[in-house]
Short mmCIF file of all heavy atoms in Angstrom, two decimals:
data_model
loop_
_atom_site.label_atom_id
_atom_site.label_comp_id
_atom_site.label_asym_id
_atom_site.label_seq_id
_atom_site.Cartn_x
_atom_site.Cartn_y
_atom_site.Cartn_z
N LEU A 1 -0.99 -21.40 -14.30
CA LEU A 1 0.26 -20.65 -14.26
C LEU A 1 -0.01 -19.15 -14.15
O LEU A 1 0.68 -18.43 -13.44
CB LEU A 1 1.09 -20.91 -15.51
CG LEU A 1 1.82 -22.24 -15.62
CD1 LEU A 1 2.58 -22.31 -16.94
CD2 LEU A 1 2.78 -22.47 -14.48
N TYR A 2 -1.03 -18.71 -14.87
CA TYR A 2 -1.35 -17.28 -14.89
C TYR A 2 -2.03 -16.85 -13.59
O TYR A 2 -1.67 -15.80 -13.01
CB TYR A 2 -2.28 -16.99 -16.06
CG TYR A 2 -2.43 -15.50 -16.38
CD1 TYR A 2 -1.48 -14.83 -17.14
CD2 TYR A 2 -3.53 -14.79 -15.92
CE1 TYR A 2 -1.61 -13.48 -17.45
CE2 TYR A 2 -3.67 -13.43 -16.20
CZ TYR A 2 -2.71 -12.79 -16.95
OH TYR A 2 -2.84 -11.44 -17.24
N ASP A 3 -2.95 -17.66 -13.09
CA ASP A 3 -3.74 -17.28 -11.91
C ASP A 3 -3.04 -17.58 -10.58
O ASP A 3 -3.24 -16.88 -9.60
CB ASP A 3 -5.08 -18.03 -11.92
CG ASP A 3 -6.04 -17.46 -12.96
OD1 ASP A 3 -5.80 -16.35 -13.46
OD2 ASP A 3 -7.04 -18.16 -13.28
N ARG A 4 -2.21 -18.65 -10.55
CA ARG A 4 -1.55 -19.03 -9.30
C ARG A 4 -0.09 -19.42 -9.55
O ARG A 4 0.30 -20.60 -9.39
CB ARG A 4 -2.28 -20.20 -8.63
CG ARG A 4 -3.66 -19.81 -8.07
CD ARG A 4 -4.23 -20.87 -7.16
NE ARG A 4 -3.42 -21.13 -5.99
CZ ARG A 4 -3.42 -20.38 -4.89
NH1 ARG A 4 -4.19 -19.30 -4.82
NH2 ARG A 4 -2.68 -20.69 -3.84
N PRO A 5 0.74 -18.45 -9.95
CA PRO A 5 2.16 -18.75 -10.13
C PRO A 5 2.80 -19.19 -8.81
O PRO A 5 2.49 -18.65 -7.75
CB PRO A 5 2.75 -17.43 -10.61
CG PRO A 5 1.77 -16.38 -10.17
CD PRO A 5 0.43 -17.03 -10.20
N ALA A 6 3.68 -20.20 -8.90
CA ALA A 6 4.24 -20.81 -7.69
C ALA A 6 5.29 -19.93 -7.01
O ALA A 6 5.55 -20.08 -5.82
CB ALA A 6 4.85 -22.17 -8.02
N ASN A 7 5.91 -19.04 -7.77
CA ASN A 7 6.96 -18.20 -7.20
C ASN A 7 7.09 -16.91 -8.00
O ASN A 7 6.41 -16.73 -9.03
CB ASN A 7 8.30 -18.96 -7.12
CG ASN A 7 8.74 -19.51 -8.45
OD1 ASN A 7 8.63 -18.84 -9.48
ND2 ASN A 7 9.25 -20.72 -8.46
N VAL A 8 7.98 -16.05 -7.55
CA VAL A 8 8.16 -14.73 -8.17
C VAL A 8 8.63 -14.84 -9.62
O VAL A 8 8.21 -14.09 -10.49
CB VAL A 8 9.16 -13.88 -7.35
CG1 VAL A 8 9.62 -12.67 -8.13
CG2 VAL A 8 8.52 -13.43 -6.04
N PHE A 9 9.51 -15.83 -9.89
CA PHE A 9 10.01 -15.97 -11.26
C PHE A 9 8.88 -16.29 -12.22
O PHE A 9 8.76 -15.67 -13.29
CB PHE A 9 11.09 -17.06 -11.33
CG PHE A 9 11.55 -17.28 -12.74
CD1 PHE A 9 12.45 -16.41 -13.34
CD2 PHE A 9 11.08 -18.37 -13.48
CE1 PHE A 9 12.84 -16.60 -14.66
CE2 PHE A 9 11.46 -18.57 -14.80
CZ PHE A 9 12.37 -17.68 -15.38
N VAL A 10 8.06 -17.28 -11.90
CA VAL A 10 6.96 -17.65 -12.78
C VAL A 10 5.98 -16.48 -12.92
O VAL A 10 5.50 -16.19 -14.02
CB VAL A 10 6.23 -18.91 -12.25
CG1 VAL A 10 5.03 -19.24 -13.12
CG2 VAL A 10 7.17 -20.09 -12.18
N ALA A 11 5.73 -15.79 -11.81
CA ALA A 11 4.80 -14.66 -11.84
C ALA A 11 5.27 -13.58 -12.81
O ALA A 11 4.50 -12.99 -13.56
CB ALA A 11 4.66 -14.06 -10.43
N GLY A 12 6.60 -13.31 -12.79
CA GLY A 12 7.13 -12.26 -13.66
C GLY A 12 7.35 -12.72 -15.09
O GLY A 12 7.34 -11.88 -16.00
N PHE A 13 7.50 -14.03 -15.28
CA PHE A 13 7.77 -14.51 -16.64
C PHE A 13 6.50 -14.74 -17.45
O PHE A 13 6.47 -14.49 -18.66
CB PHE A 13 8.57 -15.83 -16.55
CG PHE A 13 9.09 -16.29 -17.89
CD1 PHE A 13 10.26 -15.75 -18.40
CD2 PHE A 13 8.42 -17.25 -18.63
CE1 PHE A 13 10.75 -16.16 -19.65
CE2 PHE A 13 8.89 -17.67 -19.86
CZ PHE A 13 10.07 -17.11 -20.36
N ILE A 14 5.46 -15.23 -16.79
CA ILE A 14 4.22 -15.54 -17.49
C ILE A 14 3.30 -14.32 -17.49
O ILE A 14 2.97 -13.79 -16.44
CB ILE A 14 3.50 -16.74 -16.84
CG1 ILE A 14 4.37 -18.01 -16.93
CG2 ILE A 14 2.14 -16.97 -17.47
CD1 ILE A 14 4.61 -18.52 -18.33
N GLY A 15 2.87 -13.92 -18.66
CA GLY A 15 1.98 -12.76 -18.77
C GLY A 15 2.63 -11.65 -19.59
O GLY A 15 3.82 -11.42 -19.45
N SER A 16 1.83 -11.02 -20.44
CA SER A 16 2.35 -9.91 -21.25
C SER A 16 1.29 -8.82 -21.36
O SER A 16 0.21 -9.08 -21.87
CB SER A 16 2.73 -10.41 -22.65
OG SER A 16 3.25 -9.38 -23.44
N PRO A 17 1.58 -7.61 -20.82
CA PRO A 17 2.77 -7.20 -20.08
C PRO A 17 2.93 -8.00 -18.78
O PRO A 17 1.99 -8.64 -18.32
CB PRO A 17 2.51 -5.71 -19.78
CG PRO A 17 1.46 -5.27 -20.71
CD PRO A 17 0.62 -6.49 -20.97
N ALA A 18 4.13 -7.92 -18.24
CA ALA A 18 4.46 -8.73 -17.06
C ALA A 18 3.69 -8.26 -15.83
O ALA A 18 3.22 -7.12 -15.75
CB ALA A 18 5.95 -8.65 -16.78
N MET A 19 3.57 -9.19 -14.85
CA MET A 19 2.97 -8.85 -13.57
C MET A 19 3.81 -7.77 -12.88
O MET A 19 5.04 -7.76 -12.95
CB MET A 19 2.89 -10.09 -12.70
CG MET A 19 2.26 -9.83 -11.31
SD MET A 19 2.33 -11.28 -10.20
CE MET A 19 1.09 -12.33 -10.90
N ASN A 20 3.14 -6.83 -12.20
CA ASN A 20 3.83 -5.87 -11.36
C ASN A 20 4.29 -6.58 -10.10
O ASN A 20 3.49 -7.28 -9.44
CB ASN A 20 2.88 -4.73 -10.97
CG ASN A 20 2.40 -3.94 -12.17
OD1 ASN A 20 3.14 -3.15 -12.76
ND2 ASN A 20 1.13 -4.16 -12.55
N LEU A 21 5.56 -6.44 -9.74
CA LEU A 21 6.11 -7.09 -8.54
C LEU A 21 6.89 -6.06 -7.74
O LEU A 21 7.78 -5.40 -8.27
CB LEU A 21 7.03 -8.26 -8.93
CG LEU A 21 6.35 -9.47 -9.57
CD1 LEU A 21 7.39 -10.34 -10.28
CD2 LEU A 21 5.60 -10.28 -8.53
N ARG A 22 6.52 -5.91 -6.46
CA ARG A 22 7.23 -4.95 -5.61
C ARG A 22 7.40 -5.55 -4.21
O ARG A 22 6.46 -6.14 -3.65
CB ARG A 22 6.44 -3.63 -5.48
CG ARG A 22 6.38 -2.84 -6.76
CD ARG A 22 5.95 -1.41 -6.52
NE ARG A 22 6.94 -0.66 -5.74
CZ ARG A 22 8.03 -0.12 -6.25
NH1 ARG A 22 8.31 -0.27 -7.52
NH2 ARG A 22 8.87 0.56 -5.47
N THR A 23 8.59 -5.39 -3.67
CA THR A 23 8.82 -5.81 -2.27
C THR A 23 8.45 -4.63 -1.38
O THR A 23 8.97 -3.51 -1.53
CB THR A 23 10.28 -6.21 -2.05
OG1 THR A 23 10.60 -7.31 -2.92
CG2 THR A 23 10.52 -6.61 -0.62
N VAL A 24 7.52 -4.86 -0.47
CA VAL A 24 6.94 -3.78 0.33
C VAL A 24 6.94 -4.14 1.80
O VAL A 24 7.02 -5.31 2.18
CB VAL A 24 5.48 -3.49 -0.11
CG1 VAL A 24 5.46 -2.97 -1.54
CG2 VAL A 24 4.61 -4.73 0.02
N LYS A 25 6.84 -3.13 2.65
CA LYS A 25 6.71 -3.33 4.08
C LYS A 25 5.28 -3.70 4.46
O LYS A 25 4.33 -3.28 3.80
CB LYS A 25 7.12 -2.04 4.83
CG LYS A 25 8.58 -1.69 4.72
CD LYS A 25 9.45 -2.68 5.49
CE LYS A 25 10.91 -2.29 5.48
NZ LYS A 25 11.74 -3.31 6.17
N VAL A 26 5.16 -4.48 5.53
CA VAL A 26 3.83 -4.91 6.00
C VAL A 26 3.65 -4.42 7.43
O VAL A 26 4.53 -4.58 8.28
CB VAL A 26 3.69 -6.44 5.96
CG1 VAL A 26 2.34 -6.87 6.51
CG2 VAL A 26 3.85 -6.94 4.55
N ALA A 27 2.50 -3.79 7.68
CA ALA A 27 2.17 -3.33 9.04
C ALA A 27 0.67 -3.23 9.19
O ALA A 27 -0.03 -2.85 8.24
CB ALA A 27 2.82 -1.97 9.31
N ASP A 28 0.16 -3.61 10.37
CA ASP A 28 -1.28 -3.51 10.66
C ASP A 28 -2.15 -4.17 9.60
O ASP A 28 -3.18 -3.66 9.20
CB ASP A 28 -1.69 -2.05 10.80
CG ASP A 28 -0.93 -1.33 11.93
OD1 ASP A 28 -0.66 -1.98 12.95
OD2 ASP A 28 -0.61 -0.13 11.76
N GLY A 29 -1.70 -5.35 9.16
CA GLY A 29 -2.52 -6.14 8.23
C GLY A 29 -2.58 -5.59 6.82
O GLY A 29 -3.42 -6.01 6.01
N GLY A 30 -1.67 -4.70 6.47
CA GLY A 30 -1.66 -4.13 5.14
C GLY A 30 -0.25 -3.94 4.61
O GLY A 30 0.73 -3.94 5.35
N ALA A 31 -0.14 -3.76 3.29
CA ALA A 31 1.14 -3.51 2.65
C ALA A 31 1.19 -2.04 2.24
O ALA A 31 0.17 -1.46 1.84
CB ALA A 31 1.30 -4.40 1.44
N GLU A 32 2.38 -1.47 2.33
CA GLU A 32 2.50 -0.05 2.00
C GLU A 32 3.09 0.16 0.61
O GLU A 32 4.20 -0.30 0.32
CB GLU A 32 3.38 0.67 3.03
CG GLU A 32 3.45 2.17 2.83
CD GLU A 32 4.38 2.84 3.81
OE1 GLU A 32 4.33 2.51 5.01
OE2 GLU A 32 5.17 3.71 3.36
N ILE A 33 2.35 0.86 -0.25
CA ILE A 33 2.83 1.23 -1.59
C ILE A 33 2.71 2.74 -1.72
O ILE A 33 1.59 3.29 -1.66
CB ILE A 33 2.03 0.55 -2.73
CG1 ILE A 33 2.12 -0.98 -2.60
CG2 ILE A 33 2.54 0.99 -4.08
CD1 ILE A 33 1.36 -1.72 -3.69
N ALA A 34 3.83 3.42 -1.88
CA ALA A 34 3.87 4.88 -2.05
C ALA A 34 3.05 5.59 -0.99
O ALA A 34 2.27 6.51 -1.28
CB ALA A 34 3.37 5.24 -3.46
#
C-alpha cells in the first residue's frame, strides 16, 4: 500500500506525513513543477 498505492486516494491516505500530490503539465518526457 505504501510503495504502490492503486490510486490517488490511497496514495494520499496512507503515510504520515501524507504523500505530496500535484497535478502537473507534461511535455518533452518530463513534468513541470514550479
Side-chain angles (χ1 to χ4, degrees):
L1 285 180
Y2 193 82
D3 287 344
R4 290 192 62 80
N7 55 42
V8 166
F9 176 78
V10 176
F13 190 81
I14 297 295
S16 181
M19 180 186 286
N20 298 286
L21 292 163
R22 292 196 66 80
T23 300
V24 296
K25 292 291 184 183
V26 177
D28 300 326
E32 185 183 315
I33 300 180

